[in-house]
Amino acid sequence: MAMSGFEGFEKRLELHFSGDDPVNGISLRQLDFESIEEVLHAVQCTVVSAVGNQYFDAYVLSESSLFVYPTKIIIKTCGTTQLLKSICPLLHLACDIGLTLSVCRYTRGSFIFPKAQPYPHSSFKEEVIYLEESLPSHLCYRKASVMPSKMSSHSWHVFSACDESHMLMQNFESDHQDFFTIEVCMTELDRVLARKFYRHPNDGKNGDTAGKEMTEITGIVDINPNALICDFAFDPCGYSMNGIDNDRYSTIHVTPEDGFSYASFEFVGSIYDDHNAIVEVLKKVVQVFRPGTMSVATTSTGHEAWTKVASAVEPVGMKCRSCTVDEFPAAGTVVFQTFTPRRK
C-alpha cells in the first residue's frame, strides 16, 4: 500500500434544526452564498458546481458534497478537510435566522491514512470530544460508538445527539421515520473500471463537461435514471456527482488511484419505495466499481431496509462477511455490513 495518498473516506455531518414557528418560512436555503463559502473555508474546501430544485440545494465541493434543505444540512468531505469546524459557524448562521439545532449525526469509515488527518480528526476520541464541546447543552441525549467488522480496515464510527423533543419523536410514528439512508464505502476498485475516472491529458474540457462524459461512460447515469445529475471530473483524476430526485439526494465520489482507490455512494430511500428499487440501485453500484471490499451502513428507524442489501449484492458476486447492529438517539438503528467478492 502507498505510504500516503489522497484520503477517499469521507466524514459526514448531518444537522437538523427547528424554529419556534416553522410556518413562517424560515429556511437555511435563505443563507447567502458568501455565508456558505465562509463555512466551507473553515472546513478547507470550496464549491465547484451546484444545482437545486424546489426542495433543496446540492453543491459539489472540491472535497465531496453539501446538501441544504430548509431545516437540515448534510455536509460530507474527504481528504484532510476539517469537517467538524463547520459546526460553530453553521450554528451561528442558523441562530441568526431563528433556527435552533435539534439533531446532530456524525459518521465515517476507517481512514486509509489516519496519521495524515489534522485536528480534530486525528482519532475518533478527539472527534467525539470536539463534538461534545461544540454542541449546545440542550442536545442532551448523546451516544458515540465504533461498530466493528471482521476486517480491521473497515469499521463504522457514529456519534449521534438530539434534544428532548426528538427523543420523544423516536417513540412515535412520524414523517422522518419513513426514510432511511444508505452509505456505501468501496475500496480496491477494479483497475480497468477505475481507469474510466482518469481524464486524458490536455483534453481541453472543463470539469463539468469531462464529468458529464464520465457519468455516461461508467454507467453511473443508469443508477437512478430519474435523477437530475450535477457532476464534476477532477484533473488528472477523480470524480464527484450529486443526483437530485424530488426531495431526495444521491451522491458518488471516486478516488481511482491504484493502491488507495476508493468510491462512495450514498442515497436516501423511503419505506414506500418499490423494494426492487434498492436492489437494482445497489446492484448497479457494484457493477460500476467491482470493489475488493465494500461496507454498507444503513440508518433507519426500525424497518428492515438493511435486509435488502445482501440480496442486492450477492447476485453480483459479493458475499456478506460481517453484520453489526446498534441503536442511536434520533438516528434510530444503524446496521453496518461488510462484503467482499465471493472468490476471496
Side-chain angles (χ1 to χ4, degrees):
M1 182 157 96
M3 282 306 289
S4 83
F6 188 78
E7 181 60 67
F9 275 92
E10 300 94 351
K11 313 158 181 103
R12 180 190 186 277
L13 181 68
E14 180 171 332
L15 302 173
H16 295 233
F17 297 86
S18 47
D20 296 333
D21 179 15
V23 191
N24 65 11
I26 295 173
S27 167
L28 294 163
R29 298 179 74 184
Q30 293 166 259
L31 297 174
D32 58 19
F33 188 60
E34 285 71 34
S35 302
I36 287 173
E37 282 183 311
E38 273 169 35
V39 171
L40 295 173
H41 182 72
V43 174
Q44 297 188 327
C45 60
T46 55
V47 171
V48 297
S49 193
V51 67
N53 64 9
Q54 70 194 86
Y55 302 102
F56 69 104
D57 299 310
Y59 299 88
V60 174
L61 307 179
S62 53
E63 276 91 353
S64 310
S65 293
L66 164 69
F67 302 100
V68 182
Y69 286 80
T71 59
K72 173 174 77 177
I73 279 187
I74 295 160
I75 174 167
K76 185 169 179 170
T77 64
C78 57
T80 53
T81 50
Q82 295 164 292
L83 175 61
L84 295 179
K85 290 192 176 178
S86 64
I87 295 176
C88 291
L90 282 171
L91 295 187
H92 285 296
L93 289 170
C95 183
D96 290 345
I97 58 172
L99 291 172
T100 313
L101 187 67
S102 55
V103 173
C104 167
R105 188 165 115 234
Y106 175 68
T107 52
R108 68 168 175 85
S110 299
F111 297 125
I112 302 172
F113 307 110
K115 290 190 170 63
Q117 289 297 317
Y119 173 84
H121 296 283
S122 61
S123 70
F124 186 54
K125 186 180 173 185
E126 188 177 78
E127 291 170 319
V128 171
I129 292 169
Y130 191 94
L131 279 155
E132 295 272 11
E133 290 171 353
S134 305
L135 296 178
S137 57
H138 68 268
L139 269 72
C140 52
Y141 297 95
R142 301 180 178 191
K143 177 171 172 175
S145 180
V146 180
M147 301 178 70
S149 77
K150 286 212 172 87
M151 292 167 284
S152 58
S153 59
H154 280 260
S155 50
W156 194 242
H157 305 72
V158 184
F159 174 90
S160 185
C162 71
D163 61 12
E164 187 87 48
S165 68
H166 283 76
M167 207 57 202
L168 288 169
M169 269 170 75
Q170 202 166 317
N171 303 324
F172 300 109
E173 278 307 312
S174 69
D175 289 349
H176 82 289
Q177 303 202 323
D178 297 340
F179 292 103
F180 56 85
T181 305
I182 291 187
E183 295 168 75
V184 181
C185 301
M186 295 167 278
T187 53
E188 303 154 59
L189 311 180
D190 178 279
R191 287 181 182 192
V192 175
L193 297 175
R195 287 303 305 176
K196 296 181 181 180
F197 296 97
Y198 276 78
R199 288 173 62 170
H200 296 293
N202 312 316
D203 59 10
K205 301 183 176 105
N206 61 23
D208 298 292
T209 316
K212 192 170 165 41
E213 210 166 88
M214 279 182 194
T215 301
E216 299 281 342
I217 63 167
T218 56
I220 286 173
V221 68
D222 304 317
I223 293 172
N224 177 2
N226 303 325
L228 167 65
I229 291 178
C230 179
D231 39 22
F232 195 87
F234 295 90
D235 200 8
C237 66
Y239 168 89
S240 285
M241 83 70 134
N242 291 331
I244 68 174
D245 182 4
N246 289 314
D247 58 346
R248 299 190 217 168
Y249 68 87
S250 57
T251 183
I252 291 177
H253 301 285
V254 186
T255 301
E257 290 100 317
D258 229 17
F260 50 94
S261 66
Y262 173 85
S264 66
F265 171 67
E266 178 183 332
F267 76 109
V268 177
S270 158
I271 53 173
Y272 303 114
D273 291 349
D274 171 9
H275 282 311
N276 275 345
I278 309 177
V279 171
E280 285 310 307
V281 161
L282 289 172
K283 220 178 240 169
K284 285 174 187 163
V285 169
V286 171
Q287 289 167 318
V288 167
F289 298 106
R290 294 255 167 234
T293 308
M294 160 176 176
S295 72
V296 183
T298 307
T299 305
S300 63
T301 25
H303 49 81
E304 306 294 286
W306 67 273
T307 56
K308 300 276 173 267
V309 176
S311 57
V313 301
E314 282 177 346
V316 283
M318 303 298 278
K319 184 166 171 48
C320 186
R321 304 294 177 181
S322 65
C323 182
T324 321
V325 185
D326 205 347
E327 301 283 331
F328 294 89
T333 308
V334 177
V335 180
F336 179 61
Q337 297 165 281
T338 59
F339 299 86
T340 61
R342 196 168 269 113
R343 61 176 186 274
K344 281 204 171 176

